[in-house]
Amino acid sequence: MNAESRERLPGLRLGLVSGACLVLLTLVGIVEAFSQREIVSGVLSMGEGLLFFTGLFIAYLAADRGLRRAGTGRALAAGLVCGLAAAALLALLVLLSKAVNLRQVLINASPAVFQMLVFQREELEVGLALLLAAGLLTGAAAAGLRLLPPVPRRAVTAGLVCVAGLGMLQDTVYPVLSSWGPVAGLADLVFEGLGLSPGGAVALFVLTAAGAAFWALQGAAVRGRIAGLSPGGRRGLRIGAFALLALVLAILPQALGLFLSEVLTIVGLYVLLGLGLNIVVGFAGLLDLGYVAFFAIGSYTVAILTSPELGFFSLSFWQALPFAVLFGVIAGVLLGIPVLKMRGDYLAIATLGFGEIIRILVLSDSLRPWLGGAQGIGKIPKAEIVGFEFGGPQEIYYLILAGCLLVGFISWRLRDSRLGRAWMAVREDEDVAQAMGINLVAAKLLAFATGAGFSALSGAIFATKIGSVYPHSFNVMISINILCVIIVGGIGSMPGVIVGAFALVGLPELLREFAEYRLLVYGAALVAMMLLRPEGLWPEATRRRELHEHEEQAGPTPDAPAAAAAGRP
Amino acid sequence: MAMLEIQDIHTYYGNIHALKGISVEVERGEIVTIIGANGAGKSTLLKTASGLLRPRSGSIRLEGRELTRLPPHEVVREGIVQVPEGRRIFGRLTVLENLDMGAFTCSDRRRNAENLERVFALFPRLKERSRQVAGTLSGGEQQMLAMGRALMANPKILLMDEPSMGLAPVLVDGIFETIRRLNEAGTTILLVEQNARMALQIARRGYVLQSGAILFSDAAARLAENEIVRKAYLGEH
């Protein structure tokens, strides 16, 4: 705290952080990879957008700190300094690139990207001046945004997010919209080339901002009116909303087309896996890093029982499914027994090992006649119900949706049950949970078994979706990805799992350029989350309380001095 | 026959012989205190009684029922409930949720509601703060919550482990006063304390524990007069 208040230039520290981020983004090649795409055609490419929004965001944070510490003037100064410092670091990078050949070490440091940084100017001085000016403008914009009253600030933010989001996702959104007769013309107006048309961007910004402003001003009134409805009316509204949601979910694959349906199925599988792991990690607090093992067990059970390639059995998918879940549950208990006494880090390491054991077993040559070895098992039949085959992604979607609904319903009921309460107590304090009369062994094993069962279920669906299973599909990264999904979504929160899966699995699928930088993005997302929103995107109530209690309970309490005295006997 | 009979208990941590043949009896309606220095085995004794540690030999009986081999969650159901050392409330849950957790073994809703009323009558402060996150309570309030949570489990006997630990001196008197009121309302209490002076004031009988064995036991008032106790545990010369 003291170090920061001694800082002479407000925002300098964050500005250097911002600059370092921008330099990193440039040097790893993301900026160049993304400059193929456009957010607003001819105005802002995605690479430029990435730099701009990163700088804007960090300058916003700087302005926010300045405002809290010393008011408006300092906020503005902090924003400007932060923006300028970031741009200055980029400018230094450009100068460095002219002096030495960075490419010998950093292969992504291409002349094209540096040309982009100086706004394609031939004269270096002019380009660098423009770059610094852009930094200052970004900083000023961030500070201005921070100094706006809450309602317009929210409106502008919503507008920016909407424009950036739709622009980035042009190649997924545009084909879908243009295939819907009535809105096809509209889509042509809004989109142009590889991004939004300038006019479309402005229109979108204004519309979203107006919508957000309306909701900020009138949302409370609308909510109040809903709360004021008669119980019957409220129930009617809820049924209506559910019916609408059900309808949307039902027609989604037809409306979105093949590619997006495929993305949806992948996201859906992660939701399924995430809901399962959420029981183990989120509800019961048992950090399981070998979760992929149960996914593999589900997949391999279905493969072995159904594939004609091995020729042991030729069950249908539906006959094999119960076995897959059963074996998953059994494996969950078998893993659970030896790790019952382990906590925290030790548990994580032990489960990590279990995940690897399963992968190495299915990879093993000596088990090849039964498990297929490195070549895996193919020719897994599709699932079928009375002649309807779950063949392509548009059909598999329904299978996964059904799985998600089932698993979501079960976890929801479990969370509020006696068992859910037992899990909560175990998560908070194992010893005391026991002293409250909770059977620790049963609670832990049930958590492992339930989570494993859900994981095996999604493994089974995965096997029939892909049609073949290979050992390399079940590496430790899957476990880590699922864990990231629930951390980013909010540990213990079920809507959080869905949000997390869309953010961490869905978005990278849509932005194919991300694929290469996936781990970088995960890492950055996790660090940013931990710093800015440690409770996750859609947190569970208890966790939000824990991390923000000082804000909620800021009011003076009658015996605050007594509490302070008790804390320091 | 005493309500709680602990007979010739031997408990080990690995190879360390922590309790060397301890026998303690508690009659219904009594407060019995166990005093002793750090590491004498006081907490070990309570943990053994509540099933968290398993003795190598000896027996624990409550109202004549043998509990020695029962796992802790069943010992709670039998009526031995522990208020753990250092309070150990669920800091992220609200006061009400903590109390609910205490009633885990009892699914009789009316009984739980009655217990809750009883706890709130004993500790009106908890009622005022029932929606507050327990971690934000003061130390004294947390101790009240820990006791209230234990009472929700319908204890026949309450095992209290160092209830005054870490509390400001001004709050310690209040805690002991509460323990006495609890006892007057009919709860039998086995109290482990380092604050021997206060413990001997409210207890009827006391045991002096040293290096895992009972040195001697007597009525609390007589222990407070005892030369050895006064020198070793009451800090007098």
Side-chain angles (χ1 to χ4, degrees), chain A residues 15 29 56 59 90 108 114 121 172 174 189 202 207 238 240 247 300 338 410 423 447 475 484 507 509 518 544 556 565:
Chain A
L56 185 76
L90 275 183
N108 283 312
F114 293 119
R121 294 302 164 123
T172 28
Y174 177 71
L189 270 180
V202 172
L207 275 178
R238 197 174 304 157
L247 183 73
Y300 268 87
I410 296 175
W423 283 336
N475 62 40
C484 287
L507 272 184
E509 292 290 338
R518 199 172 186 147
R544 184 166 41 212

Side-chain angles (χ1 to χ4, degrees), chain A residues 509-526:
Chain A
E509 292 290 338
L510 296 183
L511 301 166
R512 281 166 328 236
E513 293 90 337
F514 257 133
E516 212 175 317
Y517 305 103
R518 199 172 186 147
L519 286 178
L520 185 69
V521 173
Y522 274 25
L526 282 178

Side-chain angles (χ1 to χ4, degrees), chain B residues 47-81:
Chain B
K47 281 185 184 154
T48 309
S50 57
L52 290 167
L53 293 173
R54 184 165 287 195
R56 209 171 273 183
S57 67
S59 85
I60 297 157
R61 279 197 295 273
L62 183 72
E63 295 177 332
R65 288 167 61 89
E66 178 68 45
L67 307 182
T68 318
R69 302 274 154 211
L70 286 187
H73 62 271
E74 287 184 24
V75 173
V76 175
R77 275 164 220 269
E78 294 291 336
I80 299 185
V81 181

Side-chain angles (χ1 to χ4, degrees), chain A residues 407-483:
Chain A
V407 167
F409 181 75
I410 296 175
S411 354
W412 173 56
R413 297 299 308 209
L414 278 176
R415 191 193 56 190
D416 296 335
S417 72
R418 229 174 111 71
L419 182 57
R421 268 203 315 153
W423 283 336
M424 180 153 70
V426 171
R427 181 187 69 196
E428 301 292 319
D429 190 329
E430 280 187 16
D431 302 319
V432 178
Q434 263 183 308
M436 298 288 99
I438 288 160
N439 185 340
L440 200 59
V441 172
K444 282 188 172 184
L445 288 185
L446 277 170
F448 277 122
T450 318
F454 290 168
S455 182
L457 171 68
S458 53
I461 299 177
F462 175 75
T464 167
K465 169 177 143 63
I466 305 290
S468 51
V469 292
Y470 304 100
H472 69 73
S473 312
F474 306 101
N475 62 40
V476 65
M477 272 319 295
I478 308 275
S479 297
I480 306 285
N481 287 349
I482 305 164
L483 195 62

Side-chain angles (χ1 to χ4, degrees), chain A residues 80-389:
Chain A
L80 287 174
V81 171
C82 180
L84 188 63
L89 277 191
L90 275 183
L92 279 179
L93 178 69
V94 175
L95 285 175
L96 186 68
S97 76
K98 302 287 174 196
V100 278
N101 186 2
L102 289 175
R103 255 195 142 169
Q104 281 177 341
V105 201
L106 301 159
I107 51 164
N108 283 312
S110 69
V113 75
F114 293 119
Q115 207 51 38
M116 192 200 92
L117 284 180
V118 294
F119 296 84
Q120 318 291 351
R121 294 302 164 123
E122 289 304 319
E123 317 86 343
L124 191 59
E125 295 78 11
V126 182
L128 288 178
L130 279 175
L131 177 59
L132 293 178
L136 266 181
L137 275 178
T138 308
L145 187 61
R146 180 62 191 90
L147 294 173
L148 281 177
V151 172
R153 189 182 349 145
R154 207 174 302 169
V156 172
T157 315
L160 283 179
V161 169
C162 176
V163 168
L166 277 179
M168 285 197 297
L169 299 177
Q170 180 272 346
D171 71 338
T172 28
V173 178
Y174 177 71
V176 172
L177 286 185
S178 60
S179 68
W180 293 351
V183 292
L186 201 62
D188 284 326
L189 270 180
V190 176
F191 290 102
E192 179 188 291
L194 293 170
L196 296 164
S197 63
V202 172
L204 260 179
F205 178 81
V206 170
L207 275 178
T208 323
F214 174 79
W215 182 249
L217 293 173
Q218 298 294 321
V222 174
R223 249 174 277 152
R225 210 172 305 157
I226 291 174
L229 283 176
S230 66
R234 231 180 307 165
R235 190 191 303 158
L237 199 67
R238 197 174 304 157
I239 292 174
F242 267 114
L244 188 67
L245 181 68
L247 183 73
V248 169
L249 286 176
I251 61 164
L252 214 49
Q254 269 61 46
L256 292 183
L258 203 60
F259 172 65
L260 281 182
S261 299
E262 170 68 18
V263 173
L264 266 185
T265 59
I266 298 171
V267 172
L269 279 174
Y270 269 93
V271 170
L272 209 50
L273 285 163
L275 285 172
L277 188 63
N278 191 40
I279 289 186
V280 187
V281 179
F283 290 1
L286 306 163
L287 184 52
D288 182 353
L289 292 184
Y291 195 61
V292 69
F294 311 114
F295 185 61
I297 287 169
S299 288
Y300 268 87
T301 306
V302 164
I304 293 165
L305 293 181
T306 61
S307 169
E309 216 170 66
L310 290 173
F312 301 131
F313 314 90
S314 300
L315 302 185
S316 74
F317 172 76
W318 297 108
Q319 289 165 325
L321 185 63
F323 289 103
V325 175
L326 181 70
F327 290 162
V329 168
I330 293 174
V333 174
L334 288 182
L335 165 70
I337 290 170
V339 301
L340 271 175
K341 300 240 170 210
M342 296 183 185
R343 297 179 190 192
D345 314 355
Y346 301 98
L347 179 66
I349 300 286
T351 49
L352 187 69
F354 183 72
E356 281 300 280
I357 290 172
I358 297 292
R359 189 180 65 84
I360 289 167
L361 273 185
V362 295
L363 193 59
S364 116
D365 271 339
S366 43
L367 293 175
R368 193 163 173 177
W370 299 281
L371 300 177
Q375 255 121 63
I377 305 170
K379 295 192 189 147
I380 298 168
K382 297 290 172 196
E384 202 176 295
I385 293 182
V386 287
F388 180 81
E389 195 192 65

Side-chain angles (χ1 to χ4, degrees), chain A residues 418 421 428-429 431 546, chain B residues 88 92 97 100 104 141:
Chain A
R418 229 174 111 71
R421 268 203 315 153
E428 301 292 319
D429 190 329
D431 302 319
E546 171 203 6
Chain B
R88 305 280 286 266
R92 306 196 303 180
E97 284 167 334
D100 260 357
F104 190 83
E141 290 164 345

